[in-house]
Amino acid sequence: MAEIALQFDVAASPGRLLAALDTREGLTAWWSTGVERDGTDLLVAVPDAAQPLRLRRERADLERVAWRSVGPEPAGWAGTTVTWDFFDHPDGPRHTSLLLRHLGWSAGAAVAVPAVAGRWAELAVRLKDWAQSGRVQPLFVPGGHPHPGVHAEAD
């Protein structure tokens, strides 16, 4: 089964990374300005999708953030899991090694994995930059949000 895995070091604490991955402020700074929350589901608006990504938060703490894709968009993501594991870095508590994994791809969806891996690499650079410098530069800036029936607060 196909899997995406990216590991990189960030000059930021696990708390800063948790904020980047589990708050509206953090997520809109590097991923998409169209981030909403519907209960435990994170909704992320991306271009060319009829509806936002729907990622169910399964865990969010100083060791791991885990999301399961529970929506129909994008094609092939349904049932996949995205995890972000935080590891101690030898340079001390203000540095973190981060392991991103996107797994659970069906055989039919595996053809999309290289393109998705490239997109995650782009996003990882933006996440790292925001966590280290505070520079806001979301990859996606879609129009037409918030989405109907969704609360605007993601924190």
Side-chain angles (χ1 to χ4, degrees), residues 102-123:
H102 191 163
L103 44 127
W105 296 88
S106 68
V111 68
V113 169
V116 175
R119 189 54 50 97
W120 276 125
E122 282 182 89
L123 287 165

Side-chain angles (χ1 to χ4, degrees), residues 2-151:
E3 177 181 319
I4 297 167
L6 300 169
Q7 186 165 350
F8 52 101
D9 295 334
V10 184
S13 69
R16 177 79 168 158
L17 291 170
L18 180 59
L21 296 166
D22 198 48
T23 68
R24 186 171 197 285
E25 176 191 5
L27 291 162
T28 59
W30 62 272
W31 194 353
S32 174
T33 58
V35 173
E36 310 294 337
R37 181 98 57 200
D38 183 10
T40 60
D41 290 354
L42 179 65
L43 298 135
V44 182
V46 296
D48 303 324
Q51 46 187 293
L53 297 171
R54 183 174 283 270
L55 303 170
R56 182 146 306 140
R57 181 177 60 190
E58 295 187 331
R59 181 174 173 181
D61 57 43
L62 293 173
E63 294 177 356
R64 171 179 272 194
V65 171
W67 306 316
R68 177 169 305 279
S69 180
V70 295
E73 298 275 343
W77 278 49
T80 63
T81 301
V82 178
T83 61
W84 304 83
D85 290 304
F86 305 12
F87 298 97
D88 292 336
H89 190 277
D91 288 345
R94 304 217 33 88
H95 291 77
T96 308
S97 289
L98 191 60
L99 173 61
L100 160 65
R101 295 176 66 201
H102 191 163
L103 44 127
W105 296 88
S106 68
V111 68
V113 169
V116 175
R119 189 54 50 97
W120 276 125
E122 282 182 89
L123 287 165
V125 168
R126 291 167 186 269
L127 165 64
K128 179 177 178 172
D129 192 43
W130 181 79
Q132 293 180 160
S133 72
R135 184 176 359 177
V136 173
Q137 54 181 341
L139 184 60
F140 304 120
V141 184
H145 57 77
H147 303 285
V150 176
H151 305 288

